[in-house]
Amino acid sequence: MRQHLLYVMSPSRLDGIAKAIARLGAERIDDNAITITYELDHKMMKGISLRVYLLSNIDGVTPFLRHHPVDLLVYDERGTGAPEALEAVYRIARDVHSLAQLWGPDFHFPMSRIVAVLNATPDVDHRVFSLGRLNVRDVIVEPKKTALMLRWLHNLLYAGIVRRDRVGIALSGGAIEGLLYQIGTILALKHAFRGRTIYSCESISGVSSGSIVGSIVANDIQVEEVIKGLLDIKSQIPAFKISTIFDLAGFDIVKRVFNTSLRMRKVKLSQWLESTLESIPTGFFKGEKLEAYLHDLFAEHGQGDKFNELPNHLFIGATDHDTFDHVTLGKAPFDTMAISAAVRASCSLPPLFTPKAIGDRYYIDGQVTKSCNLESVVEDGACLVFVIDPMKPIRSNTAGISDTKGGYFSLLQMIKGLVSTRFETNFHAVAEQYPDVDFIVFQPDEECARMMAGSPMKPRLRPQMIEVAFQNTLRRLRERHKVYAAKTVRFGFELKSVEELRKLESSYQTIVKN
């Protein structure tokens, strides 16, 4: 598998390092205008194909990362005019943070993908310690021979970086609007690649509405048929309607109100308000229709309604309603239960939906405790993860725009902001913990975010959201084609050309109706 190495050094060392690489039999290629690029296949690398980019300007690191994947960044402080390694790593970290804020979380570059070549100064031990605190992966002090450098790089790239060919999908929650966005994104990913398909992923995780889409993909139910069901077009599967989601829990509501009324006859006046609040149900809707729909769908049109019946690994996040621990359904001891029951539990957001009883415990929406179950997919061995995260607030530079829309809009923006911030914090933590995993993150652009503004739990299905998400995803793949193509091809996904993706954007209606 090809590895991408960015070597950053002072201009005074550029010519010498280029000649040293050429002497190893590396082939120079015209890859870009920022770096000098070589393709290196050397016996000391033991089967690793290495694309080496030589960069003599530290300020060019962030522009380079916008368009190229980097598995390992080597910073060499030796030479005239090069910043000391600690200062350079700080600068790279600051610039990369700004890039991730502008371009999205999958442009976060883990510090544990950086290694340093140091001068043998009197304080070198202290500097090594300081770089370790910044999570720099490794250092080497003044290597005297090219062979020593190659052995060091080989150990980092071969023994340190684990490259399995397992691929995963991680889907966040986002209620009904998020469900539609995820469907459109999966449709785009299905048609954007040659070779492997998004349905061939070995590990899939879903939280809340993401558990619905994740379980559909895991069951090999084609997303086009789901869309036809939503559009009320003749489909191979039962139609999915808004009534499938909202089934009133009338009996439970009446029972709770009646029982509370009986207790209130003996309640003191000072406790009356507290007792009245207890009459509010934990859910106005049962979720039983959704569970029944998914059970029939998986049993009759999929691989089955049991986790252990699937050819891949499916993980569904839920929250224990009493302990508020995050529980992963699909892992032992929940690996033999019904997928439809797990999805219902993951989608049971109080006070809209009643908690789901599994065994002697009650479970509610998984997004209450975790925005996205990334860890389950990574721990299952996936080294490339497609992340679909629909919950994103509208961002505006116009002061007071949220205030003019009122308190309800501001409350929803606040909730989306909290969920989105928690996702990014968790994502960065996982990326640092597993630096050898590539993530490609799809989130709503501004057009999608405006369409999804307000309540994500709208009382109607808006199929146009699917088309907008489909086009948004293809547009992102076009704009970041070079880096995404290089990341995915190593795992068997051949991203179609920019022109093919552009034509695909206008083919939504044809794809769905055929």
Side-chain angles (χ1 to χ4, degrees):
M1 185 178 286
R2 173 182 287 162
Q3 304 287 335
H4 298 262
L5 186 148
L6 177 62
Y7 199 116
V8 185
M9 79 221 79
S10 72
S12 65
R13 291 192 58 84
L14 179 60
D15 186 57
I17 291 177
K19 289 179 179 178
I21 292 176
R23 284 196 298 270
L24 295 172
E27 178 186 356
R28 183 165 176 175
I29 58 175
D30 293 324
D31 181 72
N32 61 85
I34 300 178
T35 65
I36 299 173
T37 308
Y38 289 92
E39 196 74 31
L40 176 62
D41 290 289
H42 193 274
K43 62 181 181 180
M44 291 191 67
M45 298 308 294
K46 297 181 182 178
I48 294 177
S49 174
L50 198 61
R51 180 159 291 186
V52 183
Y53 306 92
L54 303 183
L55 179 64
S56 60
N57 180 6
I58 191 172
D59 293 325
V61 170
T62 303
F64 182 85
L65 290 174
R66 284 178 53 182
H67 302 288
H68 300 82
V70 173
D71 296 297
L72 195 67
L73 189 156
V74 181
Y75 179 75
D76 191 342
E77 72 174 8
R78 299 172 300 171
T80 306
E84 188 264 335
L86 198 59
E87 176 192 345
V89 171
Y90 271 121
R91 285 173 60 178
I92 291 170
R94 181 195 62 214
D95 293 346
V96 165
H97 177 70
S98 299
L99 177 65
Q101 286 187 316
L102 181 65
W103 279 63
D106 57 354
F107 280 83
H108 169 76
F109 188 76
M111 291 297 100
S112 43
R113 285 195 182 187
I114 298 178
V115 297
V117 184
L118 305 181
N119 287 310
T121 57
D123 64 340
V124 68
D125 290 340
H126 174 71
R127 296 195 298 122
V128 169
F129 174 77
S130 299
L131 288 167
R133 293 181 63 183
L134 292 177
N135 211 26
V136 168
R137 191 183 198 115
D138 200 5
V139 298
I140 188 170
V141 179
E142 286 202 13
K144 301 300 182 183
K145 297 180 180 179
T146 303
L148 181 60
M149 279 284 290
L150 282 177
R151 281 196 293 269
W152 179 59
L153 291 174
H154 171 265
N155 290 335
L156 289 167
L157 293 169
Y158 188 81
I161 293 180
V162 180
R163 285 291 182 197
R164 304 182 186 91
D165 60 357
R166 293 179 66 85
V167 181
I169 311 172
L171 301 113
S172 302
I176 294 174
E177 300 283 77
L179 173 73
L180 300 174
Y181 175 86
Q182 289 165 340
I183 289 172
T185 303
I186 290 292
L187 180 67
L189 293 175
K190 178 182 175 181
H191 290 273
F193 295 97
R194 295 188 183 89
R196 287 187 68 175
T197 170
I198 196 69
Y199 277 80
S200 69
C201 292
E202 290 86 359
S203 302
I204 301 168
S205 75
V207 175
S208 194
S209 63
S211 67
I212 300 176
V213 179
S215 59
I216 286 172
V217 174
N219 263 280
D220 200 30
I221 295 169
Q222 300 307 302
V223 69
E224 292 90 341
E225 298 302 320
V226 177
I227 296 171
K228 288 177 183 178
L230 288 167
L231 296 173
D232 206 18
I233 301 174
K234 186 177 180 181
S235 172
Q236 297 178 9
I237 66 173
F240 187 89
K241 300 179 180 179
I242 198 69
S243 59
T244 308
I245 301 174
F246 296 109
D247 52 342
L248 189 66
F251 177 76
D252 293 334
I253 295 172
V254 171
K255 181 181 177 181
R256 178 175 285 270
V257 171
F258 178 75
N259 289 339
T260 305
S261 300
L262 289 178
R263 289 199 306 271
M264 287 180 65
R265 294 164 59 185
K266 302 177 182 180
V267 169
K268 296 179 182 179
L269 185 63
S270 60
Q271 298 174 325
W272 187 86
L273 178 59
E274 182 180 346
S275 298
T276 301
L277 292 175
E278 289 179 3
S279 67
I280 299 175
T282 52
F284 290 96
F285 303 98
K286 295 181 289 185
E288 290 179 357
K289 279 191 176 181
L290 175 62
E291 183 177 349
Y293 173 87
L294 293 175
H295 170 75
D296 294 341
L297 180 66
F298 300 153
E300 297 176 14
H301 302 277
Q303 304 293 320
D305 192 32
K306 299 284 187 180
F307 284 100
N308 56 2
E309 294 176 343
L310 299 177
N312 43 38
H313 294 167
L314 174 64
F315 307 103
I316 292 177
T319 301
D320 188 299
H321 195 199
D322 297 300
T323 65
F324 281 87
D325 293 325
H326 190 83
V327 178
T328 303
L329 308 175
K331 289 184 178 180
F334 303 104
D335 53 345
T336 58
M337 67 177 294
I339 298 171
S340 54
V343 171
R344 180 188 165 189
S346 186
C347 295
S348 296
L349 178 65
L352 286 175
F353 295 95
T354 58
K356 169 65 178 174
I358 300 175
D360 59 351
R361 307 295 300 180
Y362 289 86
Y363 296 92
I364 59 173
D365 198 309
Q367 203 166 31
V368 171
T369 46
K370 187 173 289 187
S371 298
C372 188
N373 211 338
L374 289 170
E375 294 91 334
S376 293
V377 175
V378 175
E379 290 168 2
D380 195 46
C383 286
L384 172 67
V385 182
F386 295 95
V387 184
I388 307 177
D389 175 50
M391 190 71 85
K392 187 178 178 182
I394 297 177
R395 302 181 188 274
S396 175
N397 294 324
T398 304
I401 189 169
S402 293
D403 184 67
T404 60
K405 291 182 177 293
Y408 178 65
F409 179 85
S410 297
L411 175 64
L412 293 171
Q413 281 282 90
M414 181 185 71
I415 293 171
K416 289 181 178 181
L418 287 170
V419 173
S420 179
T421 302
R422 187 176 65 179
F423 166 80
E424 291 186 8
T425 301
N426 182 58
F427 176 83
H428 289 166
V430 173
E432 288 291 346
Q433 186 179 357
Y434 302 97
D436 308 326
V437 178
D438 286 323
F439 297 93
I440 299 180
V441 183
F442 297 94
Q443 294 176 317
D445 63 4
E446 291 307 312
E447 179 186 4
C448 276
R450 284 193 296 271
M451 284 193 68
M452 298 167 71
S455 173
M457 190 59 77
K458 292 182 173 64
R460 61 191 178 92
L461 296 171
R462 297 193 298 165
Q464 62 267 36
M465 264 301 311
I466 301 174
E467 183 173 6
V468 172
F470 172 80
Q471 294 170 340
N472 169 215
T473 302
L474 292 173
R475 192 157 51 245
R476 178 179 291 261
L477 290 171
R478 279 198 297 107
E479 292 169 351
R480 306 174 183 188
H481 188 275
K482 191 169 186 177
V483 64
Y484 285 172
K487 282 184 176 183
T488 55
V489 73
R490 299 188 292 191
F491 299 88
F493 292 86
E494 182 187 346
L495 185 60
K496 293 181 179 178
S497 69
V498 171
E499 188 56 37
E500 288 175 305
L501 294 175
R502 184 177 285 108
K503 290 179 180 178
L504 198 56
E505 279 184 54
S506 59
S507 64
Y508 173 78
Q509 295 296 333
T510 304
I511 291 173
V512 170
K513 292 179 180 179
N514 282 349

